Amino acid sequence: MKKYIMAMDQGTTSCRTILFDQSGNICSMAQKEFPQYYPKPGWVEHDPMEIWASQFSVSTEAMSKIRVSAEDIAAIGITNQRETSIIWEKETGNPIHPAIVWQCRRTADMVEELRKSGFDKIIWERTGLVPDAYFSGTKIKWILDRAEGARERAKKGELLFGTVDTWLIWNLTKGNVHVTDYTNASRTMLYDIHKMQWDEEILEKLEIPRQMLPQVEPSSKIYGHTEAFGCPIPIGGAAGDQQAALFGQCCVQPGDVKNTYGTGCFLLMHTGNQPVASRQGLLTTICADAKGKPAYALEGSVFVAGAAIQWLRDELGVIANASDSEVCCKEVEDTNGAYLVPAFTGMGAPYWNQDARGILVGLTRGVNKNHLVRAAVESLAYQVCDLIRTMEQESRIRLRELKVDGGASANDFLMQFQADLLETQVVRPKCIETTALGAAYLAGLAVGYWKDMEEIRKNWAVQAAFRPKMEAHRRESLIDGWNRAVKTALHWAAEK
Ligand code: ADP
């Protein structure tokens, strides 16, 4: 039996490769940042060649660190920054344009046009997405509209499109395999998540030739083999980062939920084999399934989460590093009545207000630095609570337990407060590299390295569990205060 599964974790700012063993332990890891390009305000690009080169180099580095050769690797799994779009020449493999990154706002006007023409409703019904510049569709159109002769060449089959998973697999197989998985396809804004096929009408509207799109495959399947590291290794799985994390947390049943506390938060709830349409602006998306059956999730995000802690550190200078925030929180009993609504970039679900801005309310002379820091940390939990309540309403599934990961999930105070607000247990697993682990599981299942989900579930171990212990009246009064604070932020925007 081969010893390891290799997970390539291609993120927005860095490439990482982790070698996992059968118990899901991290045996080796290498990571490298790659350049970000900001050609204009609001624009973000990557060089596809730099993505491929750094992913390849961290993979060989992870192998050489523990003297592993290609013979020892049972399969490769890939997880990636979602939506980022690349178009390249089939013949040469050369990109015809820099990768347009998910964060890039350059196609915002195009999306506005779609909205004005009422086409947003069709997109929402078919793809489960609220149209936004974030997704791949308008990014592809943007390149085809501007690169000379590109649309004609794409029609002739000379150009190929891919999200980053597709790009890596294509390079790993020296141009033999042009595929993506369901989860990545579901973020392009071109894929009908009900019929599980590219949507001809949306493609026509955006003038995207069908020929340039990859074949869409299950997230756990042998797509091909790579000889990039010596002897052939099967490429056995791929999934977008958030869906990989959901899988890595073993959230495979309806009602299973994970939240990632990073710069922002990404909350996903597995909703089973039926897509749940959201009326409150959550996204309906495909999630990874071990057997390749259709499986769906509701997704919501908090724009400013860990970023609020960075703000305390970098703009206000009240803490020296993010982990100090926990010490401050524990110095005081409460926030002394203060609330911070960190609506620095507007408010997302369920409020949806682009003009809302951050506010600090409830101040009295006694509010000190620790109270302020605590208000900021608590704001993460309130925002996640709002999202979860919305998901529960729409899916009609009551949260049983929240699984957590991401940088800020290390904050025990925050996790306890989250459990208290939700009245539900919050659990933090031993392995918080859930994104890479999810990709490894998908690949390992495809080649029989792991037999089934049951075997994988045995690897999932709790590092810490936080049980709710706050009294009901206190919880209700805190949430009431938060709701009033949010209302004030919205009111401030409305008065503009
Ligand atoms: P990303 O993947 O978005 O870069 P990470 O998962 O690495 O984010 O998490 C980093 C974020 O978490 C930062 O915004 C940081 O402020 C926050 N953070 C890290 N540790 C803590 C902590 N102990 N308490 C609160 N926030 C934290």
Side-chain angles (χ1 to χ4, degrees):
M1 178 100 172
K2 299 191 191 241
K3 285 196 192 126
Y4 307 103
I5 297 284
M6 176 189 280
M8 296 184 176
D9 181 356
Q10 203 301 306
T12 308
T13 56
S14 73
C15 292
R16 288 197 308 165
T17 290
I18 300 183
L19 299 179
F20 289 98
D21 68 13
Q22 218 174 359
S23 308
N25 297 315
I26 295 175
C27 302
S28 181
M29 167 151 82
Q31 175 166 3
K32 192 171 172 178
E33 291 198 4
F34 60 87
Q36 310 284 313
Y37 300 97
Y38 307 104
K40 289 189 188 178
W43 291 29
V44 191
E45 295 180 347
H46 291 157
D47 177 343
M49 288 304 189
E50 284 173 347
I51 290 182
W52 161 237
S54 30
Q55 193 67 57
F56 180 73
S57 88
V58 291
S59 301
T60 53
E61 191 187 334
M63 289 166 71
S64 65
K65 268 188 184 170
I66 55 166
R67 296 171 194 276
V68 161
S69 73
E71 281 89 31
D72 299 318
I73 296 174
I76 295 173
I78 293 172
T79 178
N80 56 290
Q81 51 167 321
R82 302 177 301 176
E83 298 112 10
T84 296
S85 301
I86 307 173
I87 298 180
W88 66 94
E89 291 179 340
K90 188 175 182 179
E91 191 62 30
T92 63
N94 292 330
I96 64 161
H97 193 275
I100 303 185
V101 178
W102 60 273
Q103 298 153 321
C104 187
R105 304 306 305 168
R106 80 180 67 189
T107 60
D109 289 346
M110 236 184 239
V111 173
E112 198 44 46
E113 287 300 312
L114 291 172
R115 208 168 286 145
K116 276 194 201 136
S117 70
F119 201 73
D120 56 334
K121 190 154 175 291
I122 293 183
I123 293 181
W124 177 72
E125 282 169 1
R126 312 247 172 102
T127 68
L129 305 174
V130 179
D132 194 275
Y134 202 87
F135 306 111
S136 316
T138 54
K139 299 183 195 296
I140 305 173
K141 176 168 167 54
W142 199 94
I143 299 176
L144 293 179
D145 284 350
R146 282 162 184 80
E148 208 180 315
R151 191 164 275 112
E152 280 313 306
R153 294 185 68 196
K155 274 187 199 150
K156 283 193 237 154
E158 291 172 17
L159 299 181
L160 300 177
F161 157 77
T163 39
V164 177
D165 54 319
T166 306
W167 171 244
L168 292 178
I169 295 169
W170 198 85
N171 278 287
L172 284 165
T173 60
K174 290 212 160 96
N176 280 319
V177 181
H178 185 223
V179 296
T180 189
D181 87 300
Y182 292 146
T183 68
N184 275 296
S186 75
R187 313 298 295 189
T188 57
M189 211 172 85
L190 306 173
Y191 194 68
D192 186 326
I193 60 169
H194 310 278
K195 294 187 183 152
M196 305 289 269
Q197 63 189 32
W198 297 115
D199 187 278
E200 293 296 342
E201 198 178 339
I202 300 175
L203 291 180
E204 201 170 302
K205 180 81 179 173
L206 298 178
E207 300 170 276
I208 298 173
R210 168 75 186 78
Q211 299 86 299
M212 71 189 304
L213 302 180
Q215 171 90 14
V216 187
E217 302 273 11
S219 305
S220 177
K221 184 187 168 179
I222 300 176
Y223 308 126
H225 291 75
T226 180
E227 296 186 24
F229 306 100
C231 77
I233 308 174
I235 304 168
D241 51 13
Q242 296 310 321
Q243 284 94 336
L246 189 70
F247 199 80
Q249 288 272 29
C250 296
C251 292
V252 294
Q253 301 286 341
D256 288 350
V257 184
K258 74 93 197 172
N259 186 42
T260 303
Y261 297 80
T263 314
C265 284
F266 281 98
L267 186 70
L268 270 79
M269 173 189 269
H270 197 296
T271 60
N273 58 12
Q274 291 302 324
V276 173
S278 167
R279 299 268 155 209
Q280 296 181 72
L282 299 174
L283 304 177
T284 309
T285 198
I286 300 182
C287 61
D289 183 85
K291 303 235 166 74
K293 290 186 305 226
Y296 297 91
L298 271 178
E299 174 172 327
S301 51
V302 171
F303 303 149
V304 176
I309 312 302
Q310 291 169 357
W311 175 72
L312 294 176
R313 186 193 61 194
D314 303 338
E315 271 72 28
L316 302 190
V318 292
I319 48 173
N321 45 59
S323 58
D324 292 348
S325 65
E326 182 168 352
V327 181
C328 295
C329 291
K330 289 179 171 166
E331 286 285 317
V332 286
E333 291 284 298
D334 52 30
T335 66
N336 206 351
Y339 286 88
L340 174 73
V341 182
F344 301 154
T345 55
M347 299 197 70
Y351 307 106
W352 292 113
N353 188 320
Q354 287 195 51
D355 301 321
R357 288 295 174 266
I359 50 159
L360 187 56
V361 291
L363 298 182
T364 51
R365 181 65 178 77
V367 172
N368 64 28
K369 176 185 110 170
N370 294 330
H371 295 124
L372 169 63
V373 172
R374 182 155 164 160
V377 171
E378 290 186 356
S379 77
L380 273 67
Y382 286 118
Q383 293 180 89
V384 169
C385 188
D386 283 341
L387 269 184
I388 287 183
R389 295 292 176 242
T390 308
M391 274 185 187
E392 286 183 326
Q393 268 175 24
E394 301 207 302
S395 66
R396 303 209 175 118
I397 302 175
R398 177 94 172 97
L399 180 74
R400 293 183 298 266
E401 172 182 88
L402 178 67
K403 289 178 171 175
V404 299
D405 50 49
S409 74
N411 186 323
D412 286 354
F413 166 80
L414 171 62
M415 295 300 104
Q416 182 58 50
F417 190 72
Q418 187 74 79
D420 287 337
L421 283 188
L422 292 170
E423 299 176 72
T424 311
Q425 170 165 265
V426 169
V427 283
R428 188 169 61 203
K430 275 209 175 98
C431 179
I432 55 166
E433 295 298 340
T434 54
T435 308
L437 187 59
Y441 284 156
L442 289 165
L445 284 167
V447 297
Y449 182 82
W450 287 289
K451 203 165 72 235
D452 52 24
M453 219 42 230
E454 269 321 294
E455 201 179 335
I456 282 175
R457 229 190 282 267
K458 287 188 197 131
N459 285 345
W460 197 89
V462 175
Q463 184 267 332
F466 302 86
R467 292 186 186 84
K469 53 183 186 200
M470 189 182 280
E471 287 167 21
H473 74 271
R474 170 128 196 261
R475 183 183 58 250
E476 283 154 18
S477 118
L478 284 172
I479 292 178
D480 178 59
W482 168 256
N483 290 339
R484 278 160 52 213
V486 169
K487 238 187 244 165
T488 313
L490 296 172
H491 185 68
W492 190 84
E495 292 286 295
K496 203 164 107 176

